[in-house]
């Protein structure tokens, strides 16, 4: 690892450089553009074949589902939601870190974000694509999804605007649109750079069309930067609203374990937590594969670990508050559910979730852990596992013990359930791999802007040079 | 104003003079000097937005935020209007007994629409109005200058449209300021007229193909696919349709006959069928003449009775000549007749001429009609006691 040493004594007063080794601007372009200009190596094709296989498994499982109906899954009343909605909430949660990194950190002027923002935004888009599939899939007859949109129909009824499920559709599609635009706006200058670099006629045509003829003019940059701030300002509350609305899907119902006011902030914190976990997992792989260690430095990973630790504690707070309110409310059904979560049929899942989300991230208190890539990678994987389990526990345990004991039912996932889950991972990683070859994975123009000496110092001498 | 240069192929015009700098400070300095010279038509080109350049170039603040604000708020208002119209006007939908227009639950959506409209409009306005993109035919495209500023150089271009422009002196100025590769950029006149037009037949063709494909797919999905096995489970179901026989019950009926003595809701059995004296004696109007009852009575009377009896029960039948004209209901014998008679007549019809309304009008509504007839009768023969 290209760990920087600041001499014998670590000087904490001096911020480490955002880009290490002070490379020239041209080197930055060269190394970011390299994956797009070289033929991919064997490792890439191996990875791609694995992810495509996963995708294929998912496709087969889906074909099964659409042919035979959702009876292929373990779902049965009262457990009407299980893997499908778990996967939906899981993926949409992962999608939130991207916007958080690119928009929220942008507004807070955390300039270290430049190295990871592009990738995180791309992950957002791919994760939301995965997430968006599940509401469609869980209908069993996906083409009837058209009925959720407010289109005039023969029978004259409009959609019910009071339903959180309708809000959800609007929130997720708005989120997808805005993230896509945010990402694309950021890509335009880099696409123009690629247009001017490439010698291949066909590539040049594509980059020309996509870069819209960007000219790097300062009169353009001026409005461009303004729009970037505006979009960041719009995306920030949007992130919070989207996952709050996702949590309304549960909180607005009257089911014990779902009907709690803590859900919106709890879900938002969980989303950021899982998103950071996933960004870390993917970035650690990418910087290794593409030798981008001097741009995505150890300091970036360190900072991300700190943010993860912070949100882990927010999530833990929610984990504590849930049973407390259940006990304090004196509602026997609520309290029973808390006990069922911790000791019932899904107790193993519950405790694995607590371990992954509450206890293991506490290791990030140690600088040694934060700066050890292997440990970081393992913990980030465990966070993903923990957060997937969290959604699973929330959904299934609330449903399998509902108000009517006669309809209690233990949910057991089937192979098809797992197939679709694997397929969604396949889709996500296939898209990530293709993205890393087709587009600049790091924002060239932004990284150039944070190198040392990128901006004229405001000394008088500079004027007279 | 611009110099011409004849070449063998086409007319080439001068676009401007470009220069490159290797450090942002140098560019900033050069821009400052150019502004001092009073040159207006010029632009700086940098691989990333350089701090301080905007103030040096004396650019006005970007007002694009106004678009976001106005269109964003429009989005929220449109959503509010739409939810109100769809759920409370066009198809009133009562959810959980709440008011039809329960705006608090539209707030999340209003927010989403603010963001969606705001973001889409800002980006569109930026690209199309402010930056005049997409445009791939600008004179600077494909020049060495562009290839450098998109990588690691900082450039300036003084355009030929400036009133002070003079190729030689501008070149000298830029060279003095330390600019490298000072060059004049030309473009062919043809490029000016080159337009990416939406009327291009290829573009229209593509739109048509997409439209046909999507509508075809939608038609197939909604009208054909659900009739094909196994997706036909919503159209072909294990149930007995009207006019078909059930294989399950011996008598072939799917519906079981109700248990003997079952009384349907609102269909209390009536004991005095064709027994006018009995009805007159024992049937009493069980409901009170509230405003609601009177309005209900008026509605039902106008619907069911007025075609024959007239709107004022005065026998002014609208079926004049096609059907026996009923008597006025204001004759003394009927004004004094007890409510029971009316109930009997509505329920069973009268003398084989007036039909029975037992099936059409529920019990309470019959009584409401009677209240209404009573009101009409009082209105026709005003007495001092009645006018209050």
């Amino acid at each position: 690892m290209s760990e920087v040493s600041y001499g014998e004594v670590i000087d904490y007063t001096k911020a480490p450089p955002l880009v290490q080794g002070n490379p020239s601007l041209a080197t930055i372009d060269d190394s970011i553009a390299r994956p797009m200009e070289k033929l991919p190596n064997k490792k890439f094709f191996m990875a791609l074949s694995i992810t495509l296989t996963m995708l294929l498994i998912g496709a087969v499982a889906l074909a099964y589902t659409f042919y035979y109906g959702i009876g292929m899954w373990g779902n049965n009343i009262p457990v009407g939601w299980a893997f499908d909605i778990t996967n939906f909430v899981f993926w949409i949660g992962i999608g939130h870190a991207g916007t958080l990194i690119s928009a929220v950190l942008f507004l807070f002027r955390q300039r270290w974000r430049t190295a990871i923002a592009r990738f995180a935004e791309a992950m957002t888009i791919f994760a939301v694509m995965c997430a968006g599939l599940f509401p469609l899939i869980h209908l069993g007859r996906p083409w009837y999804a058209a009925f959720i949109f407010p289109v005039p129909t023969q029978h004259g009824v409009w959609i019910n605007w009071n339903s959180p499920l309708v809000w959800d559709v609007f929130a997720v599609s708005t989120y997808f649109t805005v993230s896509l635009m945010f990402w694309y706006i950021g890509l335009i200058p880099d696409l123009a750079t690629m247009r001017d670099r490439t010698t291949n006629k066909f590539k040049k045509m594509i980059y020309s069309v996509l870069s819209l003829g960007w000219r790097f003019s300062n009169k353009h940059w001026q409005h461009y930067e303004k729009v970037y701030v505006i979009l960041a300002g719009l995306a920030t509350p949007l992130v919070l609203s989207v996952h709050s609305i996702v949590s309304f899907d549960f909180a607005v119902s009257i089911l014990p374990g779902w009907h709690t006011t803590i859900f919106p902030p709890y879900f938002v914190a969980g989303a950021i937590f899982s998103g950071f976990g996933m960004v870390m997992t993917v970035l650690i792989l990418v910087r290794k594969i593409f030798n981008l260690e001097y741009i995505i430095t150890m300091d970036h990973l360190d900072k991300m670990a700190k943010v993860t630790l912070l949100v882990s504690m927010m999530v833990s707070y929610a984990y504590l508050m849930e049973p407390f309110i259940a006990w304090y409310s004196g509602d026997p059904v609520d309290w029973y559910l808390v006990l069922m979560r911790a000791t019932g049929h899904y107790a193993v899942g519950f405790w694995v979730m607590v371990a992954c989300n509450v206890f293991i991230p506490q290791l990030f208190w140690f600088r040694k852990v934060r700066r050890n890539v292997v440990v970081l990678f393992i913990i980030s994987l465990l966070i993903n596992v923990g957060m997937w389990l969290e959604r699973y526990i929330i959904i299934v345990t609330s449903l399998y013990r509902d108000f009517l004991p006669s309809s209690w039912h233990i949910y057991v996932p089937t192979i098809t359930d797992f197939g679709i889950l694997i397929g969604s991972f396949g889709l996500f990683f296939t898209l990530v791999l293709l993205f890393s070859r087709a587009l600049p994975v790091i924002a060239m123009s932004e990284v150039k802007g944070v190198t040392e000496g990128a901006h004229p110092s405001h000394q008088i001498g500079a004027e007279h040079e | 104003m611009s110099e011409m240069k004849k070449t063998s192929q086409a007319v080439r015009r001068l676009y401007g003079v470009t220069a490159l700098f290797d450090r942002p400070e140098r560019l900033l300095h050069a821009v400052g000097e150019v502004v001092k010279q009073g040159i207006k038509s010029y632009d700086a080109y940098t691989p990333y937005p350089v701090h301080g350049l905007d103030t040096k170039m004396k650019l006005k603040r970007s007002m694009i935020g106004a678009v976001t604000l106005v269109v964003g708020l429009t989005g929220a208002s449109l959503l509010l209007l739409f939810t109100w119209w769809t759920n409370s006007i066009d198809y009133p939908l009562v959810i959980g007994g709440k008011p039809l227009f329960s705006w608090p639950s539209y707030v999340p959506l209003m927010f989403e629409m603010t963001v969606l409209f705001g973001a889409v409009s800002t980006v569109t306005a930026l690209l199309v109005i402010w930056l005049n993109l997409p445009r791939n035919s600008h004179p600077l495209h494909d020049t060495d200058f562009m290839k450098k500023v998109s990588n690691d150089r900082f450039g300036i271009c003084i355009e030929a449209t400036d009133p002070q422009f003079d190729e030689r002196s501008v070149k000298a100025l830029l060279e003095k300021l330390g600019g490298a590769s000072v060059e004049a950029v030309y473009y062919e006149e043809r490029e000016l007229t080159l337009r990416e037009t939406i009327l291009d037949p290829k573009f229209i063709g593509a739109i048509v193909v997409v439209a046909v494909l999507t509508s075809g797919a939608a038609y197939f999905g909604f009208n054909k696919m659900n009739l094909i096995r196994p997706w036909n489970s919503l159209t072909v179901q294990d149930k007995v349709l009207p006019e078909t026989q059930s294989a399950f019950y011996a008598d072939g009926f799917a519906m079981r006959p109700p248990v003997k003595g079952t009384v349907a809701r609102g269909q209390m059995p009536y004991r005095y069928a064709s027994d006018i004296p009995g009805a007159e004696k024992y049937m009493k109007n069980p409901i009170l003449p509230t405003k609601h009852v009177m309005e209900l009575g008026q509605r039902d009377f106008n619907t069911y009775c007025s075609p024959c009896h007239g709107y004022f029960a005065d026998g002014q039948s609208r079926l004049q000549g096609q059907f026996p004209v009923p008597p006025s209901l204001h004759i003394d014998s009927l004004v004094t007749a007890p409510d029971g008679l009316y109930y009997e007549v509505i329920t069973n019809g009268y003398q084989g001429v007036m039909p029975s309304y037992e099936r059409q009008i529920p019990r309470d509504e019959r009584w409401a009609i009677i209240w209404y007839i009573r009101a009409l009768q009082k209105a026709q023969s005003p007495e001092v006691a009645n006018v209050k």
Side-chain angles (χ1 to χ4, degrees):
Chain A
M1 289 298 91
S2 55
E3 169 82 63
V4 234
S5 72
Y6 303 109
E8 296 287 77
V9 183
I10 298 163
D11 179 8
Y12 288 107
T13 54
K14 182 173 164 279
L18 295 173
V19 181
Q20 278 174 7
N22 203 8
S24 77
L25 302 185
T27 350
I28 292 177
D29 274 5
D30 289 341
S31 54
I32 297 176
R34 196 184 308 125
M36 289 181 279
E37 289 167 349
K38 259 191 350 193
L39 256 189
N41 56 7
K42 239 196 218 130
K43 265 194 255 165
F44 176 81
F45 284 115
M46 263 158 59
L48 195 64
S49 58
I50 294 174
T51 60
L52 282 176
T53 314
M54 287 161 74
L55 190 58
L56 196 67
I57 294 174
V60 172
L62 265 190
Y64 251 67
T65 306
F66 291 157
Y67 192 85
Y68 293 106
I70 46 176
M72 293 308 293
W73 303 347
N75 303 24
N76 212 337
I77 297 301
V79 189
W81 280 354
F83 265 43
D84 43 3
I85 301 301
T86 305
N87 295 343
F88 164 68
V89 182
F90 175 72
W91 281 117
I92 198 97
I94 286 182
H96 283 9
T99 317
L100 189 96
I101 289 171
S102 57
V104 182
L105 296 186
F106 178 77
L107 291 184
F108 283 113
R109 309 210 178 270
Q110 295 295 309
R111 302 207 347 206
W112 56 274
R113 68 178 263 293
T114 45
I116 54 174
R118 167 73 47 74
F119 213 96
E121 284 164 28
M123 272 184 46
T124 292
I125 287 156
F126 304 148
V128 176
M129 279 160 81
C130 290
L133 282 179
F134 282 99
L136 290 183
I137 293 172
H138 98 299
L139 298 176
R141 297 272 180 272
W143 47 96
Y144 286 110
F147 286 121
I148 198 75
F149 295 102
V151 282
T153 53
Q154 200 180 22
H155 41 259
V157 196
W158 292 93
I159 55 175
N160 169 16
W161 296 103
N162 299 284
S163 163
L165 299 180
V166 167
W167 308 342
D168 214 21
V169 171
F170 277 77
V172 172
S173 37
T174 300
Y175 186 53
F176 183 69
T177 316
V178 174
S179 314
L180 195 66
M181 285 190 318
F182 199 47
W183 186 58
Y184 181 60
I185 283 288
L187 264 173
I188 289 176
D190 289 3
L191 289 169
T193 301
M194 291 309 296
R195 167 198 72 198
D196 290 346
R197 278 178 72 90
T198 187
T199 43
N200 179 319
K201 228 182 123 195
F202 182 65
K203 275 189 183 173
K204 177 161 169 128
M205 194 181 84
I206 293 179
Y207 286 129
S208 298
V209 170
L210 288 180
S211 67
L212 304 174
W214 178 258
R215 294 196 297 275
F216 298 92
S217 138
N218 193 54
K219 286 180 184 160
H220 287 185
W221 276 123
Q222 188 213 7
H223 300 295
Y224 173 94
E225 282 200 292
K226 183 86 179 190
V227 168
Y228 208 77
V229 177
I230 292 174
L231 282 186
L234 286 173
T236 302
L238 182 65
V239 181
L240 305 185
S241 86
V242 171
H243 224 62
S244 300
I245 289 178
V246 169
S247 82
F248 289 162
D249 287 347
F250 303 97
V252 172
S253 78
I254 53 164
L255 220 58
W258 286 4
H259 185 67
T260 47
T261 44
I262 201 175
F263 258 35
Y266 168 21
F267 268 53
V268 172
I272 297 167
F273 185 53
S274 67
F276 265 79
M278 189 57 105
V279 174
M280 267 205 276
T281 312
V282 179
L283 276 183
I284 289 173
L285 288 176
V286 165
R287 73 198 279 274
K288 185 84 214 153
I289 296 176
F290 297 123
N291 303 326
L292 292 173
E293 279 107 343
Y294 73 98
I295 293 180
I296 306 170
T297 62
M298 228 34 239
D299 299 304
H300 288 110
L301 297 180
D302 184 351
K303 283 194 171 111
M304 288 179 59
K306 282 182 190 159
V307 178
T308 314
L309 176 62
L310 179 77
V311 268
S312 152
M313 290 196 294
M314 294 191 203
V315 172
S316 316
Y317 172 77
Y319 285 178
L320 277 179
M321 249 332 112
E322 271 206 302
F324 171 73
I325 294 293
W327 167 78
Y328 188 68
S329 70
D331 183 336
V333 186
D334 270 354
W335 183 240
Y336 174 71
L337 195 93
V338 169
L339 293 183
M340 277 323 275
R341 277 193 179 156
T343 62
H345 294 87
Y346 301 98
V348 176
F350 178 81
W351 290 110
V352 171
M353 159 193 114
V354 171
C356 290
N357 296 350
V358 179
F359 296 117
I360 292 176
Q362 299 305 319
L363 290 173
F364 286 154
W365 285 106
F366 303 103
R367 190 180 146 84
K368 278 242 167 61
V369 174
R370 291 200 306 268
R371 291 185 158 268
N372 185 327
V373 181
V374 180
V375 177
L376 219 52
F377 185 66
I378 294 172
I379 295 183
S380 74
L381 284 182
L382 288 177
I383 290 174
N384 289 327
V385 172
M387 283 312 292
W388 189 88
L389 278 173
E390 180 197 293
R391 279 59 175 260
Y392 181 72
I393 294 290
I394 290 178
I395 291 175
V396 175
T397 56
S398 278
L399 287 170
Y400 94 119
R401 286 285 176 266
D402 74 347
F403 292 111
L404 212 59
S406 64
S407 49
W408 287 357
H409 169 84
I410 293 168
Y411 167 80
V412 183
T414 61
I415 291 190
T416 318
D417 277 323
F418 281 107
I420 296 176
L421 174 61
I422 292 171
S424 71
F425 276 94
L427 175 64
F428 179 77
F429 284 108
T430 307
L431 289 172
V432 166
L433 283 176
L434 293 181
F435 158 70
S436 67
R437 307 246 47 127
L439 294 167
V441 289
I442 292 170
M444 299 172 176
S445 67
E446 280 192 43
V447 170
K448 286 182 206 163
V450 296
T451 48
E452 251 171 278
H455 296 283
S457 50
H458 298 289
Q459 295 158 0
I460 313 153
E463 278 279 326
H464 297 281
E465 224 183 57
Chain B
M1 54 179 178
S2 58
E3 291 175 31
M4 295 249 210
K5 211 178 177 188
K6 274 261 184 246
T7 61
S8 49
Q9 313 104 341
V11 185
R12 297 180 84 219
R13 283 167 183 273
L14 183 65
Y15 173 73
V17 174
T18 60
L20 291 168
F21 300 88
D22 57 350
R23 299 286 313 148
E25 294 85 7
R26 297 233 169 83
L27 174 73
L28 228 63
H29 173 67
V31 166
E33 290 302 312
V34 166
V35 173
K36 251 185 233 157
Q37 300 278 322
I39 295 173
K40 293 262 154 53
S41 305
Y42 71 98
D43 202 349
Y45 296 83
T46 55
Y48 55 86
V50 172
H51 290 177
L53 204 49
D54 294 355
T55 32
K56 266 274 154 56
M57 288 174 73
K58 301 208 165 69
L59 295 181
K60 283 202 206 82
R61 262 184 74 199
S62 172
M63 295 310 288
I64 196 165
V67 175
T68 325
L69 183 72
V70 173
V71 184
L73 292 180
T74 312
S77 329
L78 283 182
L79 182 104
L80 199 63
L81 210 67
F82 189 58
T83 47
W84 164 76
W85 180 75
T86 48
N87 270 5
S88 22
I89 303 295
D90 191 46
Y91 194 106
L93 203 59
V94 180
I95 304 293
K98 292 185 193 74
L100 284 175
F101 181 62
S102 34
W103 63 269
S105 57
Y106 308 149
V107 170
L109 284 179
M110 280 164 66
F111 174 75
E112 298 303 323
M113 287 302 111
T114 313
V115 172
L116 183 67
F117 275 62
V120 173
S121 64
T122 313
V123 170
T124 322
L126 169 77
L127 295 178
V128 178
I129 300 173
W130 263 264
L131 309 191
N132 198 10
L133 296 178
R135 177 170 183 201
N136 269 311
S137 59
H138 193 273
L140 286 178
H141 280 136
D142 282 325
T143 56
D144 286 339
F145 174 75
M146 184 54 44
K147 290 196 170 135
K148 283 278 189 254
V149 292
S150 76
N151 185 3
D152 61 348
R153 289 296 140 91
F154 305 83
I156 186 166
C157 175
I158 296 176
E159 289 146 29
T161 48
D162 193 87
Q164 292 191 26
F165 186 82
D166 165 57
E167 189 174 342
R168 221 162 335 122
S169 63
V170 164
K171 273 186 176 165
L173 171 70
L174 290 175
E175 252 150 30
K176 199 189 88 201
L177 292 169
S181 40
V182 177
E183 268 164 24
V185 174
Y186 295 92
Y187 62 99
E188 284 177 21
E189 203 165 8
R190 191 170 61 82
E191 282 181 5
L192 264 193
T193 48
L194 209 67
R195 271 274 156 91
E196 290 113 313
T197 163
I198 56 164
L199 292 177
D200 185 345
K202 264 194 221 151
F203 179 72
I204 293 178
I207 296 273
V208 169
V209 169
V210 169
V212 167
L213 284 182
T214 41
S215 45
Y219 177 78
F220 178 75
F222 284 106
N223 295 314
K224 294 285 169 253
M225 194 148 169
N226 49 5
L227 301 177
I228 301 173
R229 248 182 68 84
W231 302 292
N232 59 0
S233 56
L234 289 185
T235 39
V236 180
Q237 298 181 350
D238 277 345
K239 70 177 183 192
V240 185
L241 295 171
E243 307 289 327
T244 53
Q245 207 174 6
S246 160
F248 192 71
Y249 292 110
D251 60 3
F253 284 107
M255 283 261 266
R256 294 294 80 207
V259 180
K260 239 186 153 44
T262 309
V263 177
R265 290 186 65 151
Q267 301 291 324
M268 278 297 281
Y270 175 55
R271 290 171 57 186
Y272 306 104
S274 310
D275 173 9
I276 294 179
E280 285 189 343
K281 193 158 166 209
Y282 298 112
M283 297 299 286
K284 291 268 142 31
N285 199 337
I287 59 175
L288 291 174
T290 59
K291 185 165 178 247
H292 171 71
V293 164
M294 295 309 285
E295 279 167 5
L296 190 67
Q298 181 183 31
R299 196 194 77 193
D300 283 355
F301 183 87
N302 289 346
T303 309
Y304 298 111
C305 319
S306 73
C308 301
H309 287 279
Y311 282 115
F312 303 102
D314 48 6
Q316 293 292 327
S317 168
R318 297 205 294 283
L319 299 174
Q320 207 86 34
Q322 301 168 38
F323 199 78
V325 176
S328 161
L329 299 186
H330 301 299
I331 54 175
D332 279 351
S333 63
L334 283 174
V335 172
T336 52
D339 289 348
L341 171 84
Y342 289 85
Y343 191 79
E344 160 64 24
V345 170
I346 301 173
T347 313
N348 279 317
Y350 192 61
Q351 294 199 340
V353 188
M354 176 176 153
S356 154
Y357 278 87
E358 193 179 6
R359 294 297 178 88
Q360 287 99 316
I361 310 179
R363 189 170 140 263
D364 285 356
E365 291 186 22
R366 288 178 223 160
W367 290 116
I369 292 177
I370 294 168
W371 274 122
Y372 183 65
I373 295 174
R374 290 299 189 210
L376 288 177
Q377 287 169 347
K378 280 187 187 163
Q380 281 292 315
S381 48
E383 286 169 29
V384 179
N386 289 340
V387 187
K388 273 190 189 154

